[in-house]
Amino acid sequence: MTPEEQQLISLYAGEALRVSVPLILTFAGYGGFVLGFIIAVRSLTIRESWGRPQIILLVCLVTILVCFTWEGLYNGAVFLTSDRYTFAQTSEQGLAAQAQAALKKVKIWEFMSDWPATINNLLSDGIVVWRAWCLSQQDRYWRLTLALLMIANIGVNVADCIWGDLGMALSSPAILDWILSAISLIVNMVATILFACKAWAYHQYIAGLNSSSARNGTWAENILHLLIESGVVFCAVQSIYIVIAVLGAYNIITSLWPLDTIIAINEIAAACYPVAVIALVPRIQTNNISILHGQSRALTA
């Protein structure tokens, strides 16, 4: 074996190791997602009433499951195909020719690379915006802000996927990636801030009743706190991804390890966050106050 071949083997093995870490994270996150999916579906099916909102949420959950499964299969297929044709099947022309053959085989899967993650991200943002929308029935400015941000989010993401399918991707796709993530981050930050405002208004309302619930916290208040905390965690993941993507776009970070890892974590969070939102808020009524539909004077103050 020549020194050049040894160098190529080391290079390709390092690349395989780099890809395998996010892949392991993705499938580990998929297991947690399936558990959350079952809990969320259970929370929908145990409701006394079954109407259009529940059907829409169930369709969204199933779509997220299909897209996340699709995404996992894509990542796994690319990894296995690349390793098979790079290492398992030998060629008389050498390792470099094997790597080129692997690249040609991997291209078969490229048509399904963008849409699953985009659909999951949009559904994730959409479900969170819908929850925030329900809490702001009498707040026109909040609703207008949420609607405009979500429309911009959908338009930019769909346009990016279409451009990619047509072969018109930008010369610096990493820059576009962090711009898309920044829009999604703003959407989730606005929704989380709205949750916080409603939680504070509800806390003030309960505190004015001078009841034990004001000291211990009601079920509704605790759920709102969980929504806020999960929103903060999701926004933190998106923020880290944006920072790493920006540093990578301007070649400040040359290694792909951090970017690949945070992409996997971001994809897991995008799939799990809406599932958590649905599971956490099956139906909340405290003292005839429906938080889900924003019928409380405290929550619309």
Side-chain angles (χ1 to χ4, degrees):
M1 182 179 295
T2 64
E4 293 181 356
E5 291 178 337
Q6 292 178 350
Q7 186 176 5
L8 285 176
I9 291 176
S10 177
L11 177 64
Y12 294 148
E15 183 71 12
L17 179 61
R18 178 185 66 81
V19 175
S20 64
V21 173
L23 188 62
I24 293 172
L25 287 175
T26 298
F27 280 100
Y30 183 82
F33 165 79
V34 171
L35 177 60
F37 174 84
I38 295 172
I39 296 173
V41 171
R42 174 63 177 168
S43 70
L44 289 175
T45 56
I46 62 175
R47 298 186 181 189
E48 297 176 0
S49 60
W50 183 264
R52 184 182 300 175
Q54 288 75 31
I55 295 175
I56 293 175
L57 285 177
L58 182 60
V59 171
C60 290
L61 282 174
V62 173
T63 304
I64 292 174
L65 174 64
V66 171
C67 288
F68 199 14
T69 304
W70 184 355
E71 194 172 353
L73 290 176
Y74 163 76
N75 292 331
V78 169
F79 177 77
L80 293 176
T81 301
S82 178
D83 281 5
R84 175 187 176 186
Y85 287 95
T86 301
F87 299 109
Q89 292 192 358
T90 59
S91 172
E92 296 180 355
Q93 298 177 352
L95 190 60
Q98 294 171 204
Q100 291 298 323
L103 288 176
K104 293 180 180 179
K105 295 295 183 180
V106 166
K107 286 185 178 180
I108 300 175
W109 301 94
E110 286 185 353
F111 74 96
M112 55 185 294
S113 61
D114 294 331
W115 285 103
T118 299
I119 293 172
N120 268 0
N121 287 331
L122 292 179
L123 284 177
S124 173
D125 295 343
I127 290 175
V128 174
V129 167
W130 177 72
R131 286 302 190 195
W133 185 279
C134 291
L135 291 177
S136 57
Q137 286 192 353
Q138 298 182 10
D139 298 330
R140 295 182 179 179
Y141 293 109
W142 278 110
R143 285 195 159 192
L144 179 61
T145 301
L146 290 170
L148 292 177
L149 287 173
M150 196 61 206
I151 291 172
N153 192 23
I154 294 172
V156 174
N157 277 275
V158 172
D160 175 53
C161 286
I162 293 175
W163 289 339
D165 289 342
L166 296 178
M168 297 186 297
L170 297 180
S171 58
S172 299
I175 296 178
L176 183 60
D177 287 343
W178 73 258
I179 292 176
L180 296 175
S181 298
I183 297 175
S184 177
L185 173 62
I186 294 172
V187 171
N188 285 282
M189 286 181 63
V190 171
T192 303
I193 291 172
L194 177 60
F195 290 146
C197 292
K198 297 304 179 181
W200 175 251
Y202 182 69
H203 175 75
Q204 294 293 100
Y205 173 76
I206 295 298
L209 299 178
N210 294 322
S211 62
S212 60
S213 298
R215 295 186 297 270
N216 301 326
T218 64
W219 180 31
E221 192 174 6
N222 293 334
I223 292 296
L224 281 172
H225 288 165
L226 287 174
L227 286 174
I228 296 168
E229 292 167 3
S230 60
V232 169
V233 171
F234 187 55
C235 289
V237 171
Q238 287 186 308
S239 300
I240 295 172
Y241 170 74
I242 292 172
V243 171
I244 294 178
V246 170
L247 295 177
Y250 293 99
N251 296 322
I252 299 175
I253 293 180
T254 56
S255 175
L256 294 177
W257 280 81
L259 183 60
D260 289 343
T261 302
I262 195 61
I263 286 176
I265 295 174
N266 188 55
E267 291 173 351
I268 295 169
C272 293
Y273 183 36
V275 171
V277 170
I278 295 174
L280 285 174
V281 195
R283 188 177 182 180
I284 307 171
Q285 287 186 339
T286 305
N287 297 331
N288 296 323
I289 298 173
S290 176
I291 291 185
L292 180 60
H293 299 290
Q295 295 173 351
S296 168
R297 290 179 299 172
L299 294 178
T300 56

